[in-house]
Amino acid sequence: MSQAHKAINYRFFSTPGSTIFYQNIKDFSLNYSFEGIYKIEDMYNALDSLDEERIKNAIEAVFSDFRREFTAPEIIKMYVVNIIYKSIAIVSSLGGNTDQIPLLDSITGILAKSLIIDEMEKMAYEYCSKFVIYAKSIKNNTKNSDMKLVEEYIKNNYTRNLTIREISKKLYIHPNYLGHQINKWFGCSFNEYLHGLRMEEAKNLLENTNLKVHEIAERVGYSSYSNFLDQFVKKFSIKPSDYKIMLNNKN
């Protein structure tokens, strides 16, 4: 390799404006090993986590290796391209529009240019930071959508023998995950939420119909009257029959 070519390759690892001395480059050669690419799994896992700090650490670690091993720019570009492909796959799996990934067009254009390693690292980090924000926004929208679907399904079916397993099958959500999410969304367990809806409807029927208490119990989804009675007293601190008497006395 000529001295000029060595200088060009060495400059890739130098800070902007620095002077290159022949004694530093006379034995210099680029490393075309794919070892950096083999480490991509750490980066993939960081991207999957959507944890910006973890992603930053993964980028810093691999670029530190690239500098120490004088990895060829072509190999580093392959690494960055793999990051882009992974980010596209994640956005696609979340149901997002891959055309709207921030910086996607600009980063693919930049990769065609001659950059030094510091610029490539900065570019990779900026891209990942924007990607994380976009992916999280998609994920949050998906969660909100799931919450509305679950809430609507329960409100349309709470007066019968409804189970969390049935909802999970209908909406294609794992039952354990669904139970955890219901706690987060509504601040209570599935059964507590279900009983709460039934009790509010029972109270409404006591106030606005002439149905007997046992008929109301069946109407709101209880095959066991004692279970209905326990839930009503727990919710309103009064028996439904006494509540009905109180309403009649007011009238």
Side-chain angles (χ1 to χ4, degrees):
M1 183 184 295
S2 69
Q3 185 173 331
H5 283 152
K6 280 190 177 184
I8 291 170
N9 289 335
Y10 190 84
R11 187 172 293 282
F12 176 76
F13 297 95
S14 305
T15 55
S18 61
T19 303
I20 297 176
F21 297 98
Y22 177 70
Q23 59 266 30
N24 293 332
I25 67 169
K26 59 186 175 113
D27 298 320
F28 172 77
S29 63
L30 291 175
N31 178 4
Y32 284 87
S33 167
F34 281 83
E35 186 176 350
I37 301 299
Y38 298 148
K39 294 175 183 174
I40 196 69
E41 284 301 320
D42 291 339
M43 190 67 212
Y44 284 172
N45 292 334
L47 288 167
D48 279 327
S49 72
L50 299 182
D51 184 329
E52 189 170 348
E53 189 63 27
R54 186 176 172 187
I55 291 169
K56 181 181 179 183
N57 291 338
I59 291 174
E60 287 178 350
V62 78
F63 270 84
S64 177
D65 287 348
F66 287 153
R67 287 184 179 88
R68 185 179 62 253
E69 298 165 6
F70 293 111
T71 302
E74 295 89 338
I75 302 298
I76 299 176
K77 283 185 179 182
M78 288 175 63
Y79 182 85
V80 175
V81 168
N82 276 312
I83 290 176
I84 294 170
Y85 283 148
K86 177 62 175 178
S87 70
I88 291 172
I90 292 171
V91 167
S92 181
S93 71
L94 293 172
N97 186 344
T98 57
D99 291 335
Q100 293 181 6
I101 299 176
L103 302 182
L104 182 59
D105 289 339
S106 59
I107 196 173
T108 51
I110 291 170
L111 281 171
K113 300 178 181 178
S114 296
L115 304 175
I116 63 173
I117 192 169
D118 287 355
E119 292 170 329
M120 292 187 73
E121 181 176 9
K122 181 182 178 183
M123 175 191 65
Y125 177 65
E126 287 178 352
Y127 173 79
C128 289
S129 296
K130 297 288 185 183
F131 154 74
V132 167
I133 294 170
Y134 179 61
K136 281 183 175 179
S137 72
I138 299 170
K139 204 168 185 180
N140 288 335
N141 288 338
T142 302
K143 283 181 180 178
N144 290 337
S145 176
D146 283 347
M147 182 182 76
K148 289 174 184 174
L149 287 172
V150 170
E151 185 177 27
E152 183 179 354
Y153 193 88
I154 295 174
K155 286 183 176 179
N156 288 338
N157 295 278
Y158 71 90
T159 58
R160 60 180 183 77
N161 185 24
L162 184 64
T163 66
I164 199 166
R165 187 166 293 280
E166 175 190 328
I167 301 169
S168 67
K169 283 183 71 175
K170 288 285 185 182
L171 302 180
Y172 303 101
I173 305 173
H174 192 280
N176 292 341
Y177 174 77
L178 178 57
H180 175 72
Q181 288 303 110
I182 286 174
N183 267 294
K184 285 181 65 176
W185 292 332
F186 307 128
C188 60
S189 70
F190 167 71
N191 283 333
E192 288 170 331
Y193 186 69
L194 185 66
H195 288 308
L197 290 174
R198 287 174 172 176
M199 289 303 103
E200 289 299 330
E201 178 60 10
K203 181 169 172 283
N204 175 57
L205 292 172
L206 283 168
E207 293 171 353
N208 297 293
T209 73
N210 292 318
L211 291 170
K212 293 180 170 49
V213 174
H214 73 85
E215 291 175 327
I216 290 174
E218 291 176 4
R219 179 78 66 90
V220 298
Y222 291 96
S223 57
S224 166
Y225 178 76
S226 61
N227 189 12
F228 168 76
L229 183 63
D230 289 343
Q231 292 297 330
F232 196 93
V233 172
K234 182 180 177 181
K235 177 74 174 178
F236 301 113
S237 301
I238 187 173
K239 291 181 179 179
S241 55
D242 291 340
Y243 185 72
K244 196 169 183 68
I245 292 170
M246 183 181 71
L247 290 172
N248 290 333
N249 290 337
K250 282 184 179 181
N251 296 330

